[in-house]
Amino acid sequence: MCPHQTPCPSPDGPNRDAARTVACHPEQGWSLLCNGVVLFEDTGELLPDGAIIAPHRPTDLGVASAA
């Protein structure tokens, strides 16, 4: 499906965000990746099968920053 050499990661893999961008609409806050994933600027994702991945910002990890 992916025409790139070293094919893009599948949409169900943990590294799905590493796929190449095929359409970018920063004014609307989203990008379409080669593997069919729609990546939103808030780090949320819409997978090709309709599944939703909630935003996962680094601040959501519960790591306390150094003061």
Side-chain angles (χ1 to χ4, degrees):
M1 177 182 223
C2 174
H4 303 112
Q5 266 314 319
T6 309
C8 290
S10 70
D12 56 351
N15 60 343
R16 65 183 152 264
D17 297 350
R20 292 189 187 190
T21 301
V22 294
C24 184
H25 294 276
E27 72 283 357
Q28 296 176 356
W30 63 273
S31 297
L32 175 64
L33 304 181
C34 183
N35 57 8
V37 172
V38 177
L39 181 62
F40 296 97
E41 69 180 12
D42 70 352
T43 69
E45 301 173 27
L46 179 61
L47 303 183
D49 65 0
I52 297 170
I53 305 295
H56 44 282
R57 298 179 181 167
T59 57
D60 292 344
L61 298 177
V63 177
S65 62

